Amino acid sequence: MARYGMLINTKKCVGCYACRVACQMVNGLESDEAFIKFDEMEQGAYPNVYAEVVPVQCMHCEDAPCEAVCPTHATYTTDSGVVLVDEERCIGCKYCMAACPYGARIQIKKTGVIEKCRFCWYEGEPGNPPRCVGTCISGARLFGDLDDPQSEICQEIARTNAQPLAGDLTTAKIYYVR
């Protein structure tokens, strides 16, 4: 069974928001609803200072804190490690929003359901690639099987020494080149 993950290379990201817009479109989100947010982090030292654009979304954590607190078990993890929300079971209590260390969950205005990135999971499989990966104009995103050492994503994680955004916080399945 595959264990899916993503690599985001912030050195390639130009902050164009194409990934966010594509995600909003495929998920039918309003313009002020988004599963991807952008943080800008100042890097370097004077006079060589620059703003690094860091796209942040659900990290699909192993032992996801959002899953542990869900009273209805609407949040669950698939066999392939993708954290999903069963919209029929979600009561909109927001416990998962409070538990998420990345602030990656939003409440959908139309339904009241708490949602998040699901790697474009439809009909039992993730998008291959998810829309944000296929739309990225700079090739900053890769998606694939983290358990296949021959996969492009594993090769690139090893080559670039990519790490989770907050390595000591969770066991995230989204890796960053920074």
Side-chain angles (χ1 to χ4, degrees):
M1 176 65 62
R3 186 173 62 94
Y4 293 107
M6 189 177 290
L7 171 73
I8 300 174
N9 188 334
T10 62
K11 294 178 181 183
K12 289 183 177 181
C13 179
V14 296
C16 69
Y17 287 42
C19 57
R20 178 178 170 152
V21 172
C23 175
Q24 287 172 307
M25 297 304 290
V26 77
N27 289 296
L29 300 176
E30 300 291 329
S31 61
D32 61 343
E33 296 175 328
F35 296 155
I36 301 170
K37 65 181 180 179
F38 291 85
D39 292 340
E40 283 193 13
M41 299 182 180
E42 191 175 290
Q43 299 292 341
Y46 179 82
N48 301 315
V49 178
Y50 64 96
E52 177 184 39
V53 178
V54 182
V56 180
Q57 64 195 60
C58 174
M59 300 293 163
H60 296 276
C61 305
E62 304 280 349
D63 300 318
C66 57
E67 182 178 359
V69 300
C70 182
T72 63
H73 306 288
T75 299
Y76 66 99
T77 304
T78 68
D79 290 340
S80 56
V82 179
V83 179
L84 298 176
V85 177
D86 181 341
E87 294 179 6
E88 299 295 319
R89 297 178 91 171
C90 178
I91 59 173
C93 67
K94 301 183 184 178
Y95 286 177
C96 59
M97 290 177 79
C100 177
Y102 298 98
R105 290 179 167 253
I106 65 169
Q107 187 166 33
I108 305 297
K109 292 176 190 165
K110 293 178 191 171
T111 64
V113 170
I114 310 302
E115 265 294 0
K116 52 174 265 339
C117 165
R118 51 182 160 300
F119 287 152
C120 291
W121 185 278
Y122 300 102
E123 298 176 15
E125 290 295 322
N128 200 6
R131 194 63 55 100
C132 61
V133 175
T135 304
C136 181
I137 62 169
S138 63
R141 292 171 172 260
L142 284 176
F143 178 78
D145 184 358
L146 296 173
D147 284 342
D148 177 3
Q150 301 307 312
S151 68
E152 182 181 10
I153 189 171
C154 282
Q155 296 288 321
E156 194 65 11
I157 287 170
R159 187 184 74 72
T160 60
N161 194 30
Q163 301 293 319
L165 196 56
D168 59 340
L169 188 59
T170 62
T171 50
K173 291 187 215 84
I174 299 201
Y175 290 79
Y176 287 83
V177 176
R178 300 191 59 214

